[in-house]
Amino acid sequence: MARVKKNGNLSGTIGNIVFVNDGERAFVRAKPDRVKQTTQTKAAAGVFGLVSSREKTFRLQVLRMLGVPAPQYFAAKQRARIRKTVTGDTGGSAGTGTGFGNPQALAGFSFNPEMEWESCTNFFLTFEMESNGEMKVHLPELKWKNQIIPVKNSSSAVLTLVAITADLNKEAVPIKEVAKLELEISGTSAVPAQDWIFPVDAAEGWLLIIGCLKFGAPNQSSVMKEAFSAAYLWTGMLMSTHLSTFED
C-alpha cells in the first residue's frame, strides 16, 4: 500500500510497483520475485545449515589443538568436504535421518592451500590397525631437504602427528586427543625410522590422524609463523564392533 509523504512523494507499494525515496530522489522499481521453496530446497537449506554449524565448531577446536591460524578459504573448502560425508535421508529435514557418516572425503585434505602437504614432504606413512585395537603408524627416516622440503629462510621444522576422535553427530562436536607425537628435524638432526603405536577405543564417531609441519628459523618472523603445512593423513569411522578405515 502506498501513501503520500509530506514532500508529495509516494512511499510504499501499489501492486508490483515499489516507490523508493533516497533523500531528494524518488523512483520506482518492480517487486523482486519470491523464490518458491520446495520440500527439496528446504531440506537442502537445512542440511547446509547443519553442516555449517558443525563444521565451524569442529574447525575451531582442531585449529586450536594444532596451534595454527585459519588460512584463507580453508573454512569453505573444509565445509564442502564435510558436506560429502553426510549420509541418510537428505530428502527430509536436517536432523531427521541425516547424519555424518564415513569421513573418507577428508582424507588427504590440506589445511593450507599456500603450502600443500605434498609440496613440503617427500615421505609416506603406513597405517595398520592391529587385532588388539592398537593403531600402528610406520614413519620412515626423515632428513632435512630429503623427506622434509624446507621453505625459504627456514632452518628447522617440527612434525606433529595427532590422532583425535570427533563426533559431528553431536551438537557440541566433542573432540578428544587420543595420541600425539612430536619430532624435530633440521640439517643437523635427522629422525630415525620408527613405529608410532597407540590404543584406539571403540566408540561412535570418527578417528582422524592429522599431520602438521611447522617451519622455524633462528629469528622467528611473523611470516615464518604462517609457514606451516597440515593435512588429514588418515580417516576412519569408529564403531562399537569394528573400525572402518580409509587412507588417501
Side-chain angles (χ1 to χ4, degrees):
M1 180 177 180
R3 65 180 185 277
V4 180
K5 302 181 70 174
K6 292 181 179 180
N7 60 7
N9 292 334
L10 288 174
S11 176
T13 62
I14 298 179
N16 290 327
I17 301 299
V18 180
F19 296 91
V20 181
N21 293 278
D22 181 13
E24 296 181 355
R25 297 188 304 162
F27 52 93
V28 297
R29 60 176 174 80
K31 278 186 178 180
D33 293 332
R34 292 185 178 180
V35 178
K36 185 178 180 180
Q37 290 281 3
T38 64
T39 301
Q40 289 75 17
T41 57
K42 289 180 180 178
V47 171
F48 178 81
L50 176 66
V51 171
S52 296
S53 174
R54 301 293 169 85
E55 186 278 332
K56 180 179 180 181
T57 303
F58 171 69
R59 167 172 34 92
L60 293 178
Q61 294 185 78
V62 171
L63 292 177
R64 189 181 305 115
M65 181 180 292
L66 296 177
V68 297
Q72 191 176 19
Y73 309 125
F74 170 67
K77 290 184 177 181
Q78 177 170 263
R79 190 181 306 121
R81 288 294 190 101
I82 290 180
R83 174 64 181 85
K84 294 181 180 180
T85 73
V86 174
T87 58
D89 181 15
T90 55
S93 60
T96 305
T98 300
F100 295 89
N102 293 333
Q104 186 176 9
L106 287 176
F109 176 67
S110 290
F111 287 55
N112 189 352
E114 299 298 324
M115 291 188 184
E116 297 284 349
W117 183 260
E118 293 79 5
S119 68
C120 300
T121 63
N122 187 29
F123 67 91
F124 296 94
L125 306 177
T126 58
F127 305 87
E128 183 178 354
M129 180 59 66
E130 303 289 322
S131 59
N132 61 358
E134 290 184 333
M135 170 66 79
K136 178 187 289 186
V137 182
H138 178 71
L139 290 84
E141 183 181 29
L142 302 177
K143 291 184 177 181
W144 191 251
K145 293 186 178 181
N146 290 324
Q147 288 72 36
I148 304 299
I149 312 303
V151 299
K152 184 178 180 180
N153 298 326
S154 64
S155 58
S156 63
V158 175
L159 173 64
T160 301
L161 300 177
V162 58
I164 66 172
T165 58
D167 193 347
L168 274 75
N169 288 310
K170 294 182 179 179
E171 185 175 357
V173 191
I175 291 180
K176 177 183 176 183
E177 181 182 296
V178 177
K180 186 176 183 179
L181 178 68
E182 285 191 348
L183 303 169
E184 294 186 13
I185 309 101
S186 67
T188 58
S189 177
V191 174
Q194 58 188 285
D195 288 332
W196 178 40
I197 304 173
F198 56 87
V200 178
D201 296 329
E204 298 296 330
W206 296 348
L207 173 66
L208 306 170
I209 299 179
I210 304 172
C212 182
L213 188 64
K214 297 180 183 179
F215 292 96
N219 297 319
Q220 196 81 345
S221 63
S222 58
V223 174
M224 192 57 62
K225 291 179 181 179
E226 304 288 329
F228 79 93
S229 182
Y232 295 102
L233 303 180
W234 188 95
T235 61
M237 187 174 179
L238 291 164
M239 288 177 281
S240 57
T241 56
H242 70 280
L243 181 66
S244 297
T245 62
F246 300 92
E247 294 183 42
D248 180 35

